[in-house]
Amino acid sequence: MDNETLTITDNRTNQNYTIPISHGTIRAMDLRQIKTGPDDFGLMTYDPAFMNTASCQSAITFLDGDKGILRYRGYPIEQLAEHCTFLEVAYLLLNGELPTADELAYWNCDVMRHTMIHENVKKFMDGFHHDAHPMGTLLSTVAALSTFYPDARNISDPKIRRKQIVRLIGKMPTLAAYAYRHRLGLPYIYPDPELSYTKNYMHMLWKRTEPKYEANPVLAHALEVLFILHADHEQNCSTSAMRAVGSSNADPYATTAAAISALWGPLHGGANEEVLRMLGEIGSKDHIPAFIDQVKEGKRKLMGFGHRVYKNYDPRARIIKQVAEEVFEVTGRNPKIDIALELERIALSDDYFIKRKLYPNVDFYSGIIYQAMGFTPDQFTVLFGIPRTVGWLAQWDEMLSDPDKKIARPRQVYTGEEQRDFVPITLRGQRELVEA
Ligand code: CMC
């Protein structure tokens, strides 16, 4: 379209500028020409937290937060959750197309072949204190993998990149299970590549002295669905960390460790753990109104509610609610679900939440399922990180193949002192000491 342009009048100079619009965006660099004079640096945009700035182009995940739509490579999340295995979705995210039967069989074998970890990694994990948070253990161990696979540094070779991707997807459940067993003082269980991705994870978590651990098929299926729902979510905080760190050409293990660190925060993936603590603290339905009052007074946050992008019901939360009922058929009902449902009902009819378009997000119900399945709250974010590794790696690979790729390096608006002259220490006078 010829009129796909934006005309800007700079009232400081009365100059007009016409800049192209593409995909509903303008290029921030096109603003640089807008200057008051030759010494002016040129106009920049100020957008803390990237509220309205696209940091990349991506063909992986589509999200319409107003309509509550989520699609991977064009496929609605609801259909993928109903019909696919997690590894099938992983293949889709990484390759752009659903696998054929032969491709899927090969892919399953390839990933499961990489579930084993070096014996020295086990020794390394043994060094953690018995009550180390599993996310701390996971992120440090993933970073340490870079010392085992120095070839990974060659990130410009697509074949080498692909090898690390398969390695990481294969090893994440093993590392997560070992972090779990280390906390409990249980011996590590070697992966069984004959099993499915989630059944093998359950086997490494929960096998005791029985000759063969048989994962409950309903719970294994629930875990597959939860993994699919968490596999990617476009440019969220941890994915942006993955892209930012990866843009310096750091190796994928160090880069993924950065993404895991971002995920751990309570405003991001760490929210699922916080939701469980919050529900425990509320304790019973009678205490909900008082809790909601505290939230409205700004004293608390309703964890598991609100989203930067969704201003409608998070489609993943809707699916998770259904999965919860299937899981409870097997495990018995987690009483926290009734507190959560009532909390949701009250919040969604309250002006505070309606005005701000705050709805339950993916983390609101997931922890309740995980707890019913036998996971402790400190495992919940790990359960987010295992599948999200696929999304991080798909986005990392996409970024490295993008001709527009450059090292991430935002600008700032400097608000500090103008130039001033050095003052010798003897002339600096006295200031009240502030304790650190
Ligand atoms: N409880 C109470 N008030 C909230 C909440 C909440 N959970 N979330 C947002 N608000 C209020 C916020 O106080 C603000 O009110 P006001 O306009 O009066 O200042 C308004 O809603 C807009 O919030 P915001 O903080 O500007 O929104 P944001 O896009 O910067 O933050 C968020 C998004 C997810 C960090 C935030 O909603 C939040 O902290 N939620 C709780 C933590 C959580 O559940 N995180 C998981 C996110 S989904 C999974 C993932 O991607 O990790």
Side-chain angles (χ1 to χ4, degrees):
M1 253 195 292
D2 286 350
N3 59 356
E4 286 285 288
T5 57
L6 176 73
T7 302
I8 300 171
T9 304
D10 185 345
N11 293 325
R12 300 170 300 177
T13 56
N14 276 331
Q15 285 269 335
N16 283 330
Y17 302 86
T18 299
I19 53 179
I21 297 176
S22 169
H23 295 100
T25 60
I26 56 164
R27 288 202 170 235
M29 279 306 286
D30 285 343
L31 300 178
R32 191 67 77 71
Q33 59 183 307
I34 304 179
K35 298 177 179 210
T36 50
D39 291 339
D40 184 0
F41 180 75
L43 207 62
M44 292 193 299
T45 55
Y46 174 59
D47 188 10
F50 295 94
M51 297 284 286
N52 196 38
T53 297
S55 60
C56 64
Q57 301 192 41
S58 179
I60 300 173
T61 290
F62 173 80
L63 209 169
D64 183 330
D66 291 324
K67 298 196 181 118
I69 294 174
L70 173 61
R71 296 182 202 133
Y72 295 160
R73 301 283 189 183
Y75 294 102
I77 191 67
E78 295 79 3
Q79 293 182 18
L80 296 173
E82 190 179 344
H83 300 294
C84 291
T85 63
F86 169 67
L87 283 186
E88 204 175 348
V89 170
Y91 184 99
L92 170 71
L93 285 167
L94 287 157
N95 299 293
E97 296 298 336
L98 285 165
T100 62
D102 285 348
E103 284 166 343
L104 182 59
Y106 182 82
W107 170 241
N108 281 339
C109 273
D110 206 14
V111 171
M112 296 311 290
R113 209 163 52 85
H114 282 93
T115 48
M116 202 72 105
I117 57 174
H118 195 290
E119 287 293 293
N120 283 354
V121 176
K122 267 169 49 181
K123 289 187 203 149
F124 172 86
M125 293 180 88
D126 279 340
F128 287 101
H129 208 259
H130 72 276
D131 59 357
H133 194 289
M135 279 299 277
T137 307
L138 187 69
L139 79 89
S140 323
T141 314
V142 168
L145 288 183
S146 63
T147 65
F148 290 82
Y149 304 110
D151 54 322
R153 258 175 273 161
N154 189 357
I155 52 104
S156 55
D157 182 333
K159 270 200 186 140
I160 292 183
R161 284 212 299 270
R162 201 33 75 125
K163 182 144 193 199
Q164 316 316 315
I165 289 174
V166 184
R167 271 185 180 147
L168 256 166
I169 297 171
K171 290 180 193 339
M172 282 300 277
T174 315
L175 298 177
Y178 284 16
Y180 171 78
R181 291 184 79 98
H182 174 66
R183 272 205 100 177
L184 298 175
L186 292 169
Y188 304 129
I189 301 292
Y190 286 103
D192 181 348
E194 299 281 299
L195 297 174
S196 74
Y197 193 76
T198 49
K199 284 188 176 164
N200 170 55
Y201 178 43
M202 293 164 84
H203 145 86
M204 292 186 291
L205 285 168
W206 292 318
K207 184 177 177 345
R208 295 286 174 115
T209 50
E210 66 276 46
K212 195 157 177 69
Y213 175 84
E214 292 287 348
N216 181 297
V218 175
L219 301 188
H221 174 254
L223 211 49
E224 291 275 330
V225 173
L226 284 157
F227 277 11
I228 291 169
L229 300 183
H230 284 90
D232 193 48
H233 211 233
E234 52 123 293
Q235 307 313 315
N236 55 83
C237 178
S238 54
T239 303
S240 300
M242 185 84 189
R243 280 186 178 259
V245 175
S247 76
S248 76
N249 293 355
D251 84 65
Y253 302 101
T255 307
T256 304
I260 299 174
S261 309
L263 185 74
W264 193 3
L267 296 185
H268 189 8
N272 55 14
E273 183 177 344
E274 296 301 321
V275 169
L276 248 278
R277 296 197 198 293
M278 176 188 77
L279 294 175
E281 205 186 305
I282 295 173
S284 78
K285 286 193 206 172
D286 308 342
H287 299 146
I288 294 176
F291 181 81
I292 293 280
D293 285 346
Q294 286 192 349
V295 172
K296 285 158 62 177
E297 287 162 20
K299 292 182 186 154
R300 302 291 304 264
K301 261 197 172 173
L302 179 49
M303 298 309 285
F305 255 68
H307 200 275
R308 170 62 56 79
V309 186
Y310 288 122
K311 301 301 166 199
N312 198 326
Y313 213 98
D314 182 335
R316 300 167 302 171
R318 211 186 293 282
I319 300 170
I320 288 181
K321 260 165 95 171
Q322 289 162 12
V323 173
E325 295 304 333
E326 290 162 27
V327 167
F328 296 157
E329 293 276 315
V330 176
T331 62
R333 199 170 176 79
N334 183 342
K336 293 212 173 70
I337 186 84
D338 297 317
I339 302 177
L341 287 168
E342 182 63 3
L343 200 50
E344 177 187 326
R345 192 192 64 75
I346 294 180
L348 294 188
S349 56
D350 189 298
D351 251 12
Y352 176 94
F353 297 90
I354 295 169
K355 249 199 242 153
R356 290 169 179 78
K357 299 188 177 172
L358 300 173
Y359 291 86
N361 58 50
V362 70
D363 293 322
F364 193 62
Y365 288 105
S366 60
I368 300 173
I369 304 181
Y370 294 143
Q371 191 178 50
M373 289 172 80
F375 292 100
T376 48
D378 53 12
Q379 294 291 322
F380 297 172
T381 313
V382 171
L383 285 150
F384 194 150
I386 297 171
R388 183 55 61 86
T389 301
V390 169
W392 292 330
L393 291 166
Q395 302 261 353
W396 171 76
D397 198 39
E398 182 184 63
M399 175 190 69
L400 291 174
S401 321
D402 186 342
D404 271 358
K405 182 237 167 207
K406 276 186 175 298
I407 186 166
R409 205 311 186 177
R411 291 280 175 176
Q412 65 166 14
V413 177
Y414 178 70
T415 58
E417 301 283 350
E418 290 298 324
Q419 180 174 326
R420 48 185 175 164
D421 287 330
F422 174 79
V423 181
I425 197 158
T426 48
L427 300 179
R428 285 178 216 160
Q430 295 284 329
R431 263 193 300 263
E432 205 180 319
L433 274 181
V434 182
E435 269 186 60

